């Protein structure tokens, strides 16, 4: 209405009592910004508009203090087509898709000194990976059923040297080639050195790319040492209107056992809780518990562990036969090692995508112990309590782990069970026959006379 319309007169103000938009601000994620407050003074004669400009403070702890990319907070004015620029705009925006890459994604080819190249080619989280002449791109779906290759692959960590820079190039090697037949059967080629070109045989197209998987290996200092690709080549009918393709990329730090993310950023129900010991190389592990086995023998189930899945309450157990010859202390250590496993983690990732270098994103596991001393305490149960909370925007809250406790004292929940065991003691089945029937009939003694 008239609150922010400069063309409204005093006579127009009298038609309204309040403002439909009393306050106007910019991006709500900014920590501090100017806010325009509009109101109507209906008691004045004639009624008038009241305008105030105040400082609006964002109460959220996580807010944007300053922006260095102004185009991210507003829509840029489109370029008006003219007779002079029509051909240029048609080449750029005339296809089904077009690229809108920021200027800071371009390669700096002026760096000639290797020391300067390390600074020029510094990767940050999410920045596209550069190749010798462009970016490493993964085709992705667009609004239609077609694919677009204007989707650069983003880097997963901070890197001090370029992946595919001119000075420090790393060749992409072919790790494997799988051939898929028309009915879906896959065969791994013995040699991946042979370049297989698409061919048309009768009504079939062979060696069509159905899937590509890139795998990048790097060191803890951020140096890429290997880049490999795996291909799935298939056969399709020449008359097929479209084919289904898949593309993916993964990153692995050398000498580590990678664990996939469990959310981005918050945990997803059903995915493994990420844990580890972040002070050493064992940064990528999982929080596990004892896995129940078929024979339920504790001594044979020491290596059987199952990951703790976020949001899933789990219980498992086994049986340990205790003899009179067993001593208390060795028995207690055996049970403790059985419950906790070989290398129980010290930290749990608070988010599903927590990075190992972000120390604040890891929650220490709290061990609750009692001060009471006894001759021997035998652990009979291990209860892991994971406390989590919803974090972030109300529109899209993320699951975040805030505390993990491990009670190891005398006070614990001990399972008390009563059991019923059914034992089959049937004798082994053997083949047999039924007895012949007997005739229970009484006849006169001379019934068969004169034959007998």
């Amino acid at each position: 209405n008239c609150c922010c319309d400069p063309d409204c007169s005093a006579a127009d103000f009298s038609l309204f009592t309040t403002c439909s938009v009393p306050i106007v601000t910019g991006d709500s994620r900014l920590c501090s910004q100017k806010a325009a407050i509009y109101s109507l003074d209906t008691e004045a004669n004639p009624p008038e508009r009241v305008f105030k400009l105040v400082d609006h403070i964002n109460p959220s702890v996580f807010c944007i203090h300053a922006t260095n990319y102004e185009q991210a907070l507003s829509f840029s004015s489109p370029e008006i087509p003219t007779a002079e620029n029509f051909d240029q705009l048609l080449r750029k925006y005339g296809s089904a898709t077009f690229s809108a890459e920021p200027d800071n994604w371009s390669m700096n080819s002026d760096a000639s000194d290797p020391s300067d190249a390390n600074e020029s080619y510094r990767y940050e989280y999410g920045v596209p990976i550069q190749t010798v002449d462009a970016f490493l791109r993964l085709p992705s779906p667009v609004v239609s059923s077609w694919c677009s290759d204007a989707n650069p692959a983003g880097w997963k960590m901070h890197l001090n040297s370029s992946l595919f820079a001119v000075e420090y190039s790393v060749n992409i090697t072919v790790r494997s080639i799988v051939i898929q037949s028309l009915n879906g059967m896959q065969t791994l080629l013995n040699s991946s050195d042979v370049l297989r070109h698409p061919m048309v045989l009768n009504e079939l197209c062979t060696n069509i790319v159905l899937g590509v998987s890139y795998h990048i290996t790097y060191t803890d200092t951020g140096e890429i040492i290997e880049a490999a690709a795996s291909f799935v080549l298939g056969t399709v009918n020449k008359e097929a209107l479209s084919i289904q393709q898949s593309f993916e990329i993964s990153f692995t730090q050398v000498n580590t056992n990678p664990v996939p993310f469990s959310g981005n950023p918050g945990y997803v129900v059903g995915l493994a809780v990420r844990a580890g010991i972040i002070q050493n190389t064992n940064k990528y592990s999982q929080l596990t518990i004892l896995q129940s086995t078929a024979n339920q023998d504790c001594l044979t189930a020491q290596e059987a562990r199952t990951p703790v899945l976020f949001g899933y309450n789990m219980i498992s157990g086994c049986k340990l036969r205790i003899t009179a010859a067993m001593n208390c202390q060795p028995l207690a250590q055996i049970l403790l090692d059985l419950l906790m496993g070989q290398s129980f983690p010290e930290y749990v990732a608070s988010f599903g995508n927590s990075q190992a270098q972000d120390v604040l994103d890891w929650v220490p596991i709290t061990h609750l112990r009692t001060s009471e001393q006894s001759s021997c305490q035998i652990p009979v149960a291990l209860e892991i309590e994971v406390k989590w909370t919803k974090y972030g925007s109300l529109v899209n809250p993320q699951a975040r782990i805030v505390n993990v406790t491990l009670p190891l004292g005398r006070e614990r929940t001990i399972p008390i069970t009563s059991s019923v065991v059914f034992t089959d003691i049937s004798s082994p089945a053997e083949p047999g026959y039924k007895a012949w029937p007997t005739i229970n009939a009484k006849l006169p003694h001379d019934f068969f006379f004169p034959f007998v």
Side-chain angles (χ1 to χ4, degrees):
N1 51 22
C2 282
C3 289
C4 53
D5 190 351
D7 294 334
C8 286
S9 61
D12 297 327
F13 292 150
S14 61
L15 301 177
F16 301 95
T17 57
T18 58
C19 294
S20 60
V21 183
I23 182 172
V24 178
T25 60
D27 196 307
S28 60
R29 297 170 297 178
L30 294 175
C31 296
S32 177
Q33 59 178 316
K34 294 294 183 180
I37 298 179
Y38 296 93
S39 61
L40 295 176
D41 187 2
T42 57
E43 297 180 357
N45 190 14
E48 61 181 359
R49 174 179 48 224
V50 180
F51 168 76
K52 291 190 301 183
L53 189 64
V54 299
D55 291 328
H56 181 72
I57 306 299
N58 190 349
S60 176
V61 178
F62 300 95
C63 56
I64 301 176
H65 178 71
T67 58
N68 54 6
Y69 184 61
E70 296 296 337
Q71 297 180 6
L73 300 179
S74 61
F75 293 101
S76 58
S77 300
E79 189 174 358
I80 305 300
T82 60
E84 289 75 16
N85 63 2
F86 181 81
D87 293 337
Q88 178 184 357
L89 296 178
L90 183 62
R91 288 192 299 268
K92 185 175 182 181
Y93 302 108
S95 60
T97 61
F98 54 87
S99 175
E101 299 172 354
D103 296 337
N104 57 353
W105 286 6
S106 60
M107 294 182 59
N108 183 5
S109 58
D110 297 335
S112 56
D113 188 13
S115 60
D116 297 336
N118 287 339
E119 296 298 328
S120 301
Y121 298 145
R122 182 183 301 273
Y123 280 111
E124 294 181 357
Y125 183 85
V127 171
I129 299 176
Q130 295 179 353
T131 61
V132 174
D133 55 353
F135 297 102
L136 178 62
R137 302 180 185 274
L138 300 181
S140 62
V142 290
V143 292
S144 63
S145 60
W146 299 99
C147 297
S148 169
D149 59 358
N151 178 38
W155 179 247
K156 296 296 184 180
M157 60 166 290
H158 294 279
L159 186 63
N160 295 328
S161 60
S162 176
L163 173 63
F164 302 113
V166 177
E167 289 81 6
Y168 304 105
S169 61
V170 177
N171 295 327
I172 301 180
T173 60
V174 179
R175 175 174 295 180
S176 63
I177 297 180
V178 174
I179 301 299
Q180 180 172 312
S181 63
L182 191 61
N183 59 2
M185 182 178 296
Q186 294 185 346
T187 304
L188 178 64
L189 291 184
N190 296 329
S191 177
S192 59
D193 298 333
V194 180
L195 184 62
R196 303 176 69 92
H197 296 282
M199 298 176 58
V200 178
L201 299 176
N202 298 328
E203 297 298 324
L204 300 178
C205 298
T206 62
N207 299 332
I208 303 300
V209 177
L210 299 181
V212 181
S213 298
Y214 293 98
H215 187 81
I216 297 176
T217 306
Y218 61 94
T219 64
D220 54 353
T221 59
E223 178 185 0
I224 295 178
I225 60 176
E226 183 183 1
S230 300
F231 294 89
V232 176
L233 305 180
T235 301
V236 296
N237 196 313
K238 189 174 65 173
E239 297 180 354
L241 298 178
S242 62
I243 60 174
Q244 182 73 28
Q245 294 177 308
S246 63
F247 302 89
E248 64 179 17
I249 185 171
S250 59
F251 297 81
T252 300
Q253 183 175 329
V254 67
N255 298 327
T256 61
N257 185 17
V259 174
F261 286 166
S262 298
N264 188 23
Y267 275 96
V268 177
V269 175
L271 298 185
V273 174
R274 304 174 65 242
I277 306 174
I278 61 177
Q279 284 82 3
N280 57 21
T281 57
N282 187 16
K283 302 176 183 179
Y284 306 97
S285 182
Q286 293 177 342
L287 186 63
T288 61
I289 62 173
L290 179 67
Q291 180 180 356
S292 298
T293 57
N295 55 12
Q296 296 186 351
D297 187 359
C298 292
L299 297 181
T300 60
Q302 295 182 358
E303 300 297 331
R305 311 285 296 181
T306 183
V308 175
L309 305 181
F310 182 81
Y312 284 11
N313 297 332
M314 309 171 65
I315 185 171
S316 62
C318 60
K319 294 180 180 179
L320 179 65
R321 303 185 184 275
I322 302 177
T323 62
M326 290 185 177
N327 295 326
C328 179
Q329 294 294 344
L331 178 61
Q333 188 61 42
I334 291 176
L335 290 176
L336 185 61
D337 295 340
L338 177 67
L339 293 174
M340 301 189 65
Q342 295 294 330
S343 56
F344 196 81
E346 298 178 357
Y347 291 84
V348 169
S350 59
F351 290 102
N353 64 347
S354 296
Q355 301 290 328
Q357 62 270 18
D358 298 333
V359 182
L360 298 180
D361 279 351
W362 293 80
V363 178
I365 299 178
T366 305
H367 296 260
L368 300 180
R369 305 177 184 272
T370 59
S371 58
E372 298 181 7
Q373 298 293 332
S374 61
S375 58
C376 182
Q377 295 183 357
I378 298 179
V380 295
L382 177 65
E383 298 178 357
I384 302 175
E385 183 181 11
V386 180
K387 297 180 180 179
W388 65 279
T389 182
K390 294 181 179 179
Y391 175 85
S393 172
L394 294 176
V395 180
N396 187 23
Q398 302 292 311
R400 175 189 182 186
I401 295 178
V402 296
N403 181 263
V404 179
T405 57
L406 200 66
L408 293 176
R410 293 183 60 185
E411 293 186 7
R412 67 179 79 248
T413 302
I414 301 177
I416 306 298
T417 60
S418 19
S419 60
V420 177
V421 179
F422 294 84
T423 305
D424 186 4
I425 59 173
S426 303
S427 300
E430 296 180 357
Y433 302 95
K434 293 184 179 181
W436 289 100
T438 59
I439 300 176
N440 187 12
K442 294 182 179 181
L443 300 175
H445 68 281
D446 57 351
F447 180 79
F448 293 100
F449 182 82
F451 303 103
V452 293

